[in-house]
Amino acid sequence: MTKQGEIAIEFTHVQKKFSGKAVIKDLNLAVPANQIFVLVGPSGSGKTTILKMINALIQPNGGEITINGKKITEYRVQDLRWQMGYVLQQIALFPNMTVAQNIAVIPEMKKMPKKKIKERIETLLAQVDLPAAKYAERYPRELSGGEAQRVGIVRALAADPPLILMDEPFSALDPLSRTQLQKLVLRLQAQLHKTVVFVTHDMNEALKMGDAIAVVHHGKIQQVGTPREVQLHPATEYVARFFADTQKRDLLGATLAEIITTQAAQKIEATPAKPVAAQATILDVSGQLSMGKVIYTQDEHGNYWEITAATVLQFLTLEERKDQIDVRKEKV
Ligand SMILES: Nc1ncnc2c1ncn2[C@@H]1O[C@H](COP(=O)(O)OP(=O)(O)OP(=O)(O)O)[C@@H](O)[C@H]1O
Ligand SMILES: [Mg+2]
């Protein structure tokens, strides 16, 4: 059992080549115990490779990895994997097994008593808002993407491993389910204090989820730090650019509800024919706006608002300026 502040996983001069090409180059990384440690980087940067070296699905060509101070090569593979839950990007439930059977796989292999497994399934399903009475006997095909991914999380937690590996667990989900599951994992973590290695290519998700973040690019660590450190003091030009890009993309994800709280939008008295839901994002309506259409939305008090391309442009300008001011304030 690891304590707060201890190092759970350590990479020392690790390298990995695929067909002669170095994908991971001289990786040195210490993952603290009982925290969420995020690996963030673009596609192909080597995140999954790093994660799979932790559970020995991939063997390094050089260097050393230790788990709780013991070399990975000194563990029996089975013992190693039994202390790790693994949540994959693609929803990977067994299609011919029910939710309960899917969750019970590892606990049964570990010979946990049947009664205890049943109790554990019920408790965990309740924690992710999937009451066992309703969901335990369903098959994966009878679940939504978000529900299936929640079952995936429960399955990783079922045998109570101290370490959880999560490889882009939410990237296949719509923004709303994604936000819900991020909150869910943070809520669970506040109770469970597992050592979590969380992979994502989304900087916003990294900032939200990570106690610490490591930015990976071309198989090298660019920077390790708290979200605040990485955000305010990017160590390399690459990290700074990664942030700038994320912020721009983030603005396009702003909702109409956010726009109408600023001075940019105009309230109207008439009742429009087809108002757009206030939860729609700039990206959702950008097609209509760029064709010169005027769109309408309704706030929670029942008032209607008019939104044009000019409104959005003004909103984006206002937000951009606000960001600059925020950053300047932080630096003072
Ligand atoms: N088994 C393999 N054989 C050959 N090349 C591989 C293999 N696995 C991964 N690679 C290569 O190694 C590099 C890193 O891959 P990896 O899967 O670790 O990236 P990633 O950061 O997880 O990307 P993504 O965000 O797209 O999942 C890529 O260039 C990939 O093509
Ligand atoms: Mg990957």
Side-chain angles (χ1 to χ4, degrees):
M1 192 56 196
T2 45
K3 291 196 203 75
Q4 193 81 34
E6 284 177 20
I7 298 303
I9 309 166
E10 190 156 26
F11 288 79
T12 322
H13 300 301
V14 168
Q15 59 154 314
K16 177 66 196 174
K17 290 182 186 168
F18 285 119
S19 5
K21 189 173 164 280
V23 166
I24 302 297
K25 302 155 192 156
D26 195 28
L27 176 68
N28 294 289
L29 195 62
V31 177
N34 315 109
Q35 291 191 358
I36 301 185
F37 188 89
V38 174
L39 290 170
V40 63
S43 182
S45 55
K47 306 177 298 293
T48 297
T49 306
I50 297 174
L51 206 65
K52 284 185 173 171
M53 288 195 282
I54 300 175
N55 62 7
L57 282 173
I58 292 180
Q59 271 77 37
N61 297 107
E64 205 172 85
I65 305 166
T66 59
I67 309 270
N68 297 331
K70 182 168 147 181
K71 285 184 202 170
I72 260 190
T73 46
E74 287 171 5
Y75 284 91
R76 283 199 322 164
V77 173
Q78 197 186 52
D79 293 338
L80 188 73
R81 298 214 181 123
W82 275 4
Q83 42 170 323
M84 302 179 190
Y86 193 18
V87 185
L88 292 105
Q89 171 168 359
Q90 310 81 5
I91 294 154
L93 301 174
F94 298 112
N96 54 340
M97 292 187 188
T98 63
V99 165
Q101 287 166 341
N102 264 285
I103 301 171
V105 171
I106 305 283
E108 275 171 5
M109 283 204 278
K110 280 185 151 179
K111 309 231 180 318
M112 205 190 262
K114 283 250 183 306
K115 189 160 165 271
K116 201 169 158 215
I117 297 179
K118 191 162 178 287
E119 282 168 10
R120 187 140 179 88
I121 290 174
E122 284 172 8
T123 314
L124 286 169
L125 281 177
Q127 278 178 310
V128 300
D129 297 326
L130 298 174
K134 196 167 159 200
Y135 287 96
E137 300 312 317
R138 286 206 196 172
Y139 285 88
R141 63 172 181 277
E142 300 165 327
L143 303 173
S144 73
E147 287 168 350
Q149 208 53 323
R150 277 184 272 169
V151 175
I153 294 169
V154 166
R155 185 174 60 176
L157 289 169
D160 201 20
L163 193 73
I164 313 278
L165 308 176
M166 304 183 101
D167 195 352
E168 310 218 21
F170 313 139
S171 57
L173 304 176
D174 63 90
L176 196 64
S177 321
R178 187 175 183 155
T179 309
Q180 282 175 345
L181 286 205
Q182 287 167 342
K183 284 189 186 150
L184 167 74
V185 167
L186 290 174
R187 209 168 65 219
L188 284 174
Q189 174 65 358
Q191 303 165 14
L192 301 174
H193 305 290
K194 302 281 181 190
T195 302
V196 181
V197 185
F198 189 107
V199 164
T200 180
H201 59 261
D202 176 349
M203 191 53 115
N204 284 320
E205 184 163 80
L207 296 174
K208 222 183 276 180
M209 302 302 294
D211 293 302
I213 297 177
V215 183
V216 193
H217 181 48
H218 285 330
K220 281 195 160 167
I221 301 292
Q222 301 276 314
Q223 181 170 9
V224 183
T226 62
R228 222 181 133 71
E229 283 162 2
V230 177
Q231 194 166 22
L232 291 180
H233 308 287
T236 64
E237 206 168 307
Y238 177 78
V239 177
R241 195 150 37 85
F242 200 15
F243 263 114
D245 289 351
T246 306
Q247 238 164 22
K248 274 190 206 123
R249 236 177 303 125
D250 204 31
L251 279 179
L252 294 181
T255 59
L256 303 186
E258 287 171 64
I259 297 179
I260 59 178
T261 60
T262 66
Q263 314 155 20
Q266 193 72 36
K267 197 151 86 175
I268 57 160
E269 295 305 328
T271 304
K274 279 188 190 159
V276 178
Q279 291 321 312
T281 63
I282 295 179
L283 212 55
D284 293 334
V285 298
S286 61
Q288 285 165 281
L289 291 176
S290 65
M291 289 183 340
K293 284 204 181 137
V294 178
I295 59 166
Y296 301 94
T297 191
Q298 193 175 23
D299 65 23
E300 74 253 39
H301 309 295
N303 301 312
Y304 289 104
W305 297 75
E306 181 180 282
I307 293 171
T308 64
T311 316
V312 171
L313 205 59
Q314 201 189 346
F315 169 78
L316 292 176
T317 318
L318 284 171
E319 287 298 300
E320 184 81 12
R321 231 180 283 144
K322 204 173 81 200
D323 277 345
Q324 286 167 7
I325 294 165
D326 285 349
V327 170
R328 237 177 287 139
K329 260 197 243 147
E330 298 267 21
K331 280 190 177 156
V332 172

